[in-house]
Amino acid sequence: MTAGHPPHDAPRDFASAISVPPSSATECRWLVVGAGGTLGREVTARLTVRGADIVALGRAELDISDARAVERAVAEHRPRVVVNCAAWTAVDDAESQEAAAARINADGPRHLARACAASGARLLHVSTDYVFGGAPEDLGTPYGELASPTPHTAYGRTKLAGEQAALAELPHASTVVRTAWLYGRAATGTATTGFVGTMARIALQEDRTVDVVDDQHGQPTWAGDLAERLIELGGLPLERSTGIFHGTGGGHTTWYALAREVFQLVGADPERVRRIGSDQLVRAARRPAWSVLGHDGWAKAGLPPLRHWRAALTEALTDATGRAADPKTPVAEAR
């Protein structure tokens, strides 16, 4: 979820385009919440292709900060699996509106977990790398799934509270999947969202250059890969799939190096990307210098970690541009 996106899952006009009715009026297997956002759309699309029974609710259909609305939705649709992709993702705005962000990021997962506990459903909750401090002194060591969170932003604090609420309210049937630097397909067409999409659009404007920070390290994550993994987790026995997992692309890079890779893959000159430091960008919320997550938790599920970020990016941009990619913002920030 890229910083600067509006609070909640997505603009309201996405919702009607992606809502998929269940095959039965009284029961469905999957309930996707926050279905208007980048990840929610991808989960919905991939479940639909599988022929799954699914209800997909965007912000217009379900405000997860409303406990009674959540209770009614889960009771009505009777899902076996709830996937929560809804979140307040405006990182800078959260610094001055932490209570509002907490209603979605902390209270929302609590309401969902309680509703799942009452109905017998399981919950897949998507969280973020921002639960860790990302201090420069942490460089070099990925944060493991059981590392102690130390959020340094309001966004990170509210997301951590949401994780804790989900696990406390539904200890035997909740799964937290942390992700980072997420990008995916736009609501219409084949364009790409997030930082990657922004860089691709700039790259195609031949007279433009762009300044990107080179001192923030993280893991670009394609929403398609993460959606597949969420669906796989939802189909596993609970003893293999509850707890905390890190759903980020393999390897790691900087925003600057990622931007250059995007330029090269779409056939633009990567020299048009210019390196700057974080001290040259003024942001209300401090961005993590180190957002690299470890992936040891997947062994419990019997699943491999997500593939390397560069392989996913090559496929994603090939899909978006319709051309074969050469394998040889902020402008500087993200989820």
Side-chain angles (χ1 to χ4, degrees), residues 64-68 70-72 74-75 82 106-123 125 161-162 164-171 173-174:
I64 65 169
S65 69
D66 184 334
R68 291 187 177 180
V70 169
E71 183 179 346
R72 286 195 300 268
V74 173
V82 176
D107 296 342
R110 179 179 296 106
H111 301 329
L112 287 166
R114 287 178 177 173
C116 286
S119 68
R122 64 175 301 172
L123 175 64
H125 172 62
Q164 294 169 335
L167 293 169
E169 297 287 346
L170 195 65
S174 60

Side-chain angles (χ1 to χ4, degrees), residues 282-319:
V282 178
R283 297 282 185 261
R286 190 182 88 184
R287 268 49 183 183
W290 181 252
S291 285
V292 179
L293 306 184
H295 301 129
D296 291 345
W298 293 110
K300 170 187 172 182
L303 296 170
L306 272 63
R307 60 180 161 165
H308 196 278
W309 69 266
R310 188 173 284 109
L313 179 69
T314 299
E315 180 178 333
L317 289 179
T318 299
D319 286 351

Side-chain angles (χ1 to χ4, degrees), residues 98-229:
E98 187 165 353
R103 284 194 289 273
I104 299 168
N105 291 345
D107 296 342
R110 179 179 296 106
H111 301 329
L112 287 166
R114 287 178 177 173
C116 286
S119 68
R122 64 175 301 172
L123 175 64
L124 301 178
H125 172 62
V126 180
S127 191
T128 174
D129 59 307
Y130 271 70
V131 300
F132 297 110
E137 55 265 29
D138 292 342
L139 262 67
T141 304
Y143 292 107
E145 290 85 352
L146 300 182
S148 297
T150 54
H152 289 173
T153 64
Y155 172 64
R157 289 190 294 270
T158 63
K159 290 295 289 183
L160 177 59
E163 290 185 10
Q164 294 169 335
L167 293 169
E169 297 287 346
L170 195 65
H172 303 298
S174 60
T175 303
V176 170
V177 181
R178 296 172 179 145
T179 193
W181 293 27
L182 192 70
Y183 66 95
R185 295 185 179 90
T188 58
T190 57
T192 306
T193 65
F195 176 87
V196 168
T198 299
M199 292 301 103
R201 288 189 292 276
I202 292 173
L204 296 176
Q205 301 173 43
E206 295 184 1
D207 59 341
R208 288 196 63 184
T209 59
V210 61
D211 297 334
V212 183
V213 298
D214 196 32
D215 55 3
Q216 296 174 19
H217 303 255
Q219 297 161 306
T221 306
W222 186 25
D225 285 354
L226 181 57
E228 287 289 338
R229 190 51 49 84

Side-chain angles (χ1 to χ4, degrees), residues 210-215 254 256-257 260 270-278 280:
V210 61
D211 297 334
V212 183
V213 298
D214 196 32
D215 55 3
T254 66
Y256 167 75
R260 287 177 61 90
E271 295 303 314
R272 290 165 47 204
V273 181
R274 302 183 302 197
R275 179 189 286 111
I276 62 171
S278 295
Q280 295 176 256

Side-chain angles (χ1 to χ4, degrees), residues 221-239:
T221 306
W222 186 25
D225 285 354
L226 181 57
E228 287 289 338
R229 190 51 49 84
L230 289 169
I231 293 168
E232 289 173 328
L233 283 171
L236 289 177
L238 288 172
E239 61 269 19

